[in-house]
Amino acid sequence: MNELEKIDPLIFDLIQKEADRQNKEINLIASENYTHPAVLEAVGSILTNKYAEGYPGKRYYGGCEYVDLVEIQAQERCKKLFEHENYDFHVNVQPHAGSQANMSVYFAAMKPGDVVMGMSLAAGGHLTHGHSANFSGIVYKPVQYFVDPLTEELNYDAINDLAQQHKPKLIVAGASAYSKIIDFKKFSEIAKNCGAYFLADIAHIAGLIAAKLHPSPIGYADFVTSTTHKTLRGPRGAIALCKPELKEQLDKAVFPIMQGGPLMHVIGGKAVCFKLALENSFVEYQKQVLENAKIMAEIFKELDYRIVAGGTENHLFIVDLRSKNITGRKAETTLQTAGITVSRSCIPYDPEKPWITSGIRIGSPAVTTRGFKIEDCKQLVYFIDEAIKNHENEQKLLAIRSKVQELCTKYPLDKWL
Ligand code: PLP
């Protein structure tokens, strides 16, 4: 019997149940993944015992000689992962989460009340890009850009016009639900034209960028932030990068402005994640992520679903469900019954409220880690279609659930959980 089971059987039991759920259900949530057991070991290690406010070599606590080395490893590996032959950059591996990484950049680049311009949540952006319910829309003056109503893609001319009109201090590029390539060069020109700092939030696409399957913002963006737990497949956490000349501003914004002691166990996990992401197999994984997303979008189209922006060039896409007479919310619960986890999602200019939505977001990173290839992904979309068509028929949904579990048995998560 392990210690957790002995001391806290309730939490032990809930973790077992969650592991079982993860094993038996198919996860299509675009922002989730299964991190490697080596990462889990680092995150579950005694590094959690250590306080290390400050940065390597300059801490406010004694006994930091080993955690300094851990943090330096994480920084160096991260630098190698995103390295660019022409541009140097600084890496901060301390942000606790993507939101904190973004807050730190905002503090580094702006004063409260300054104008920040980001993609609207309703169009696929993130809360931290200027939503009125978030610090970014409360502390700063938000200006939001949308996607083009016809193409549902970013319209760089319209974004430039908006920037000229509002003269933001910081422009944010990046999204949580956008399926096309983001042109960081164009964003950097837009920012330069209006004298703004440029932040590329690559939380979703960091793994693709690391594998060189999506253009990198390094060299174009003043700041780059990312979570480490999505396509990067690391521990829950984040990183913030910047041009060398902004290092002091950024580091000060992360600590002491935004955060106190860094989570050294998570930084250990990030170091392991970056080591794994530097292996060739990670590039192969990301290629499969792209192929799996693409084939799923194609099969949906064959089955007469509309895909927002016409398809995908990354790890995710949004399915417009209106022609199937089901809301995103209903589809999410329907698929849950069938053993498939997805997140509902607004479509651009959605007639439904954000709690209901007209779409679902489908992502391939987790199933690809699991081992799914093209044929499995095709099968998966047929299951989804069958479930959506039979959303009123619980018996049918439970029958699909059995088939989903069979597919899961083919790719057990034993290695990962
Ligand atoms: N930025 C983007 C683009 C995201 O998609 C997310 C999370 O979904 C975040 C930032 C925030 O990350 P966290 O949930 O770790 O605060």
Side-chain angles (χ1 to χ4, degrees):
M1 197 185 262
N2 69 30
E3 281 299 310
L4 180 59
E5 189 176 7
K6 239 189 304 179
I7 287 179
D8 195 336
L10 173 61
I11 295 299
F12 176 83
D13 182 51
L14 291 174
I15 293 173
Q16 298 310 305
K17 288 194 167 110
E18 172 59 14
D20 195 47
R21 186 195 70 78
Q22 290 188 17
N23 212 358
K24 288 192 180 142
E25 289 182 357
I26 288 177
N27 184 3
L28 290 171
I29 294 182
S31 49
E32 293 186 5
N33 212 329
Y34 308 106
T35 197
H36 196 282
V39 172
L40 291 178
E41 260 180 59
V43 174
S45 75
I46 49 78
L47 291 176
T48 198
N49 298 339
K50 190 71 200 97
Y51 243 113
E53 278 181 359
Y55 290 100
K58 210 176 154 207
R59 305 282 193 185
Y60 291 85
Y61 285 78
C64 288
E65 58 268 40
Y66 298 114
V67 292
D68 270 7
L69 297 178
V70 170
E71 184 162 345
I72 289 167
Q73 274 303 311
Q75 284 176 301
E76 286 179 355
R77 291 172 184 181
C78 182
K79 203 156 177 186
K80 186 143 184 49
L81 194 58
F82 293 104
E83 83 185 342
H84 192 295
E85 54 185 0
N86 298 326
Y87 302 104
D88 190 18
F89 57 93
H90 167 65
V91 176
N92 187 313
V93 292
Q94 293 195 0
H96 299 332
S99 299
Q100 277 75 14
N102 285 348
M103 279 190 214
S104 303
V105 169
Y106 288 20
F107 270 102
M110 293 187 283
K111 290 199 186 64
D114 280 348
V115 177
V116 61
M117 188 167 130
M119 191 174 188
S120 151
L121 179 71
H126 187 257
L127 275 170
T128 55
H129 297 180
H131 193 277
S132 58
N134 181 261
F135 86 93
S136 55
I138 296 170
V139 178
Y140 304 96
K141 244 186 259 151
V143 173
Q144 302 267 269
Y145 59 84
F146 293 80
V147 287
D148 185 275
L150 286 180
T151 63
E152 297 175 313
E153 295 191 27
L154 291 168
N155 177 337
Y156 296 94
D157 289 337
I159 295 169
N160 187 46
D161 289 347
L162 203 62
Q164 285 303 320
Q165 191 186 337
H166 295 278
K167 300 276 185 236
K169 192 79 197 279
L170 176 77
I171 296 180
V172 189
S176 303
Y178 184 69
S179 61
K180 295 302 180 84
I181 299 285
I182 298 175
D183 192 332
F184 294 119
K185 183 167 182 278
K186 280 199 181 141
F187 265 108
S188 78
E189 287 160 5
I190 293 169
K192 212 175 283 162
N193 286 345
C194 68
Y197 283 113
F198 170 33
L199 160 64
D201 176 350
I202 60 168
H204 261 268
I205 51 176
L208 297 170
I209 291 173
K212 309 214 171 355
L213 298 170
H214 185 294
S216 169
I218 297 292
Y220 295 119
D222 298 298
F223 300 94
V224 178
T225 55
S226 179
T227 52
T228 44
H229 47 272
K230 298 185 175 95
T231 47
L232 263 184
R233 207 161 63 178
R236 193 151 288 267
I239 48 175
L241 322 180
C242 66
K243 289 186 171 166
E245 61 270 27
L246 296 166
K247 171 184 186 301
E248 262 181 48
Q249 260 164 274
L250 177 68
D251 282 355
K252 213 160 71 181
V254 174
F255 170 84
I257 294 180
M258 270 311 308
Q259 296 183 175
L263 309 176
M264 292 315 307
H265 55 307
V266 182
I267 290 175
K270 288 174 191 171
V272 179
C273 148
F274 301 143
K275 182 170 199 286
L276 292 167
L278 282 160
E279 289 177 0
N280 290 337
S281 58
F282 188 73
V283 177
E284 294 312 308
Y285 162 68
Q286 296 295 344
K287 284 184 183 159
Q288 192 68 51
V289 163
L290 289 179
E291 279 181 31
N292 285 351
K294 200 164 184 190
I295 192 70
M296 285 194 279
E298 272 165 25
I299 302 295
F300 270 113
K301 281 200 262 184
E302 275 176 23
L303 295 170
D304 223 16
Y305 290 79
R306 196 184 79 83
I307 304 300
V308 169
T312 179
E313 296 169 342
N314 59 23
H315 63 298
L316 64 77
F317 56 92
I318 314 296
V319 187
D320 178 351
L321 296 166
R322 287 174 302 173
S323 66
K324 305 288 174 178
N325 292 320
I326 185 169
T327 63
R329 180 150 190 248
K330 180 68 186 166
E332 184 186 297
T333 50
T334 295
L335 292 171
Q336 196 61 65
T337 310
I340 299 168
T341 320
V342 300
S343 43
R344 60 186 178 276
S345 173
C346 288
I347 58 167
Y349 308 95
D350 202 322
E352 297 285 354
K353 294 228 155 65
W355 181 248
I356 305 294
T357 79
S358 299
I360 47 173
R361 187 182 64 167
I362 302 281
S364 61
V367 286
T368 307
T369 294
R370 190 162 194 147
F372 278 37
K373 301 281 189 309
I374 298 279
E375 287 309 313
D376 309 301
C377 288
K378 283 187 184 170
Q379 185 57 63
L380 192 46
V381 179
Y382 294 131
F383 287 155
I384 293 173
D385 180 50
E386 210 181 328
I388 284 175
K389 278 193 199 132
N390 292 284
H391 67 268
E392 312 276 20
N393 184 341
E394 174 129 9
Q395 284 314 95
K396 193 86 193 190
L397 294 179
L398 293 176
I400 298 169
R401 189 179 180 91
S402 305
K403 289 193 247 174
V404 163
Q405 286 190 359
E406 245 172 69
L407 189 55
C408 289
T409 319
K410 200 171 144 197
Y411 299 105
L413 275 170
D414 305 354
K415 186 188 150 206
W416 296 89
L417 298 180

